[in-house]
Amino acid sequence: MTTILLIRVSPRTASFSRLIATEIAERLLHAHPGADLIDRDLAKEPPPHPDAAFYDAILSRSDAPSPALDCSEQMIAELEQADVVVIGTPMNNFTVPSTLKAWLDHVVRIRRTFVSTAEGKKGLLRDRPVIVAMASGGYVNDTPLGQPDFLTPYLRAILGCIGLNQVEFLRLEGLARGPEAVERALTQARATIDRAAWSRRPAVAADKV
Ligand SMILES: Cc1cc2nc3c(=O)[nH]c(=O)nc-3n(C[C@H](O)[C@H](O)[C@H](O)COP(=O)(O)O)c2cc1C
């Protein structure tokens, strides 16, 4: 049974990242009939920012369960269940919105989802695909109108730290530049979804036919 974890970040009802992330999840559900969907809406239920109790629980080096880590445990359990993760997020001030950063602070946890070794940090989660639909009002650094993009390298690095190395980005750019730019961004994103191997039903092995 396939489990899809859908994480949506934007608080806007007319959000483009929500729209495309939802379409990606629908395509995955179509490709994997009977799949389970875990809907983690960070705008409706923002994870708390780390407080003193959370810091103490992390820094205590104790493996005893702590109520301060309940939210962290729940978010990690959802990630562990997922075979594929879909994230729909805006770019805010060149990087991830603070609600997504708070979620990351709960799931990227020393001795739980990664360990620190002499060779660097090692992820403890099983690798699985992560598809990120990222919306920005402007364009990022590969165009003349570009702006710095700390979102994609950051998400790649931090998800890699916990063992998730198959991160794919669908960029919805120039969304503040009028209806034509919006239409272009949506058309490009949908064409990428159509071409993606993950949007098709896996071939049935010959011996199962
Ligand atoms: C607080 C804030 C910061 C933003 N920072 C950026 C930015 O750094 N670069 C950019 O291109 N757009 C920026 N935007 C615009 C959003 O990325 C854009 O409106 C996007 O479409 C929002 O995502 P959504 O359509 O999924 O709601 C920002 C918007 C807000 C509200």
Side-chain angles (χ1 to χ4, degrees):
M1 174 75 75
T2 300
T3 300
I4 301 157
L5 171 60
L6 172 62
I7 299 168
R8 287 173 298 182
V9 179
S10 175
R12 295 188 330 117
T13 16
S15 152
F16 300 110
S17 61
R18 254 175 198 279
L19 175 71
I20 293 298
T22 307
E23 289 183 18
I24 293 169
E26 282 165 357
R27 289 294 282 266
L28 287 165
L29 284 167
H30 183 73
H32 301 274
D36 282 332
L37 179 75
I38 304 172
D39 186 1
R40 169 59 49 201
D41 192 324
L42 300 185
K44 280 198 191 127
E45 254 184 285
H49 285 288
D51 58 10
F54 183 81
Y55 272 81
D56 288 346
I58 301 264
L59 298 176
S60 73
R61 304 185 64 88
S62 156
D63 289 327
S66 158
L69 298 175
D70 284 354
C71 176
S72 166
E73 279 303 321
Q74 187 187 343
M75 305 287 162
I76 292 170
E78 290 175 358
L79 255 187
E80 286 173 328
Q81 279 174 61
D83 298 296
V84 53
V85 181
V86 180
I87 302 176
T89 182
M91 170 187 272
N92 273 11
N93 297 317
F94 306 155
T95 187
V96 294
S98 58
T99 31
L100 182 55
K101 177 61 168 58
W103 178 83
L104 287 163
D105 288 338
H106 286 283
V107 299
V108 181
R109 217 174 93 201
I110 193 154
R111 295 183 303 281
R112 181 65 177 82
T113 54
F114 77 93
V115 281
S116 220
T117 74
E119 290 81 46
K121 292 177 175 173
K122 293 256 180 333
L124 297 178
L125 294 186
R126 167 174 61 85
D127 200 4
R128 67 209 82 198
V130 181
I131 307 162
V132 183
M134 158 200 162
S136 58
Y139 293 88
V140 297
N141 47 21
D142 50 356
T143 72
L145 296 171
Q147 60 183 329
D149 170 18
F150 297 103
L151 188 154
T152 50
Y154 172 64
L155 269 187
R156 252 189 226 294
I158 199 69
L159 293 172
C161 170
I162 57 174
L164 309 184
N165 295 300
Q166 306 168 53
V167 188
E168 176 181 343
F169 289 90
L170 270 78
R171 283 179 174 174
L172 297 147
E173 296 185 69
L175 300 170
R177 305 207 183 227
E180 279 175 21
V182 168
E183 201 44 50
R184 205 163 37 239
L186 292 177
T187 303
Q188 274 174 12
R190 287 176 177 140
T192 305
I193 295 171
D194 282 342
R195 282 196 306 272
W198 44 256
S199 74
R200 288 188 283 279
R201 286 199 185 166
V204 180
D207 61 348
K208 303 244 163 55
V209 178

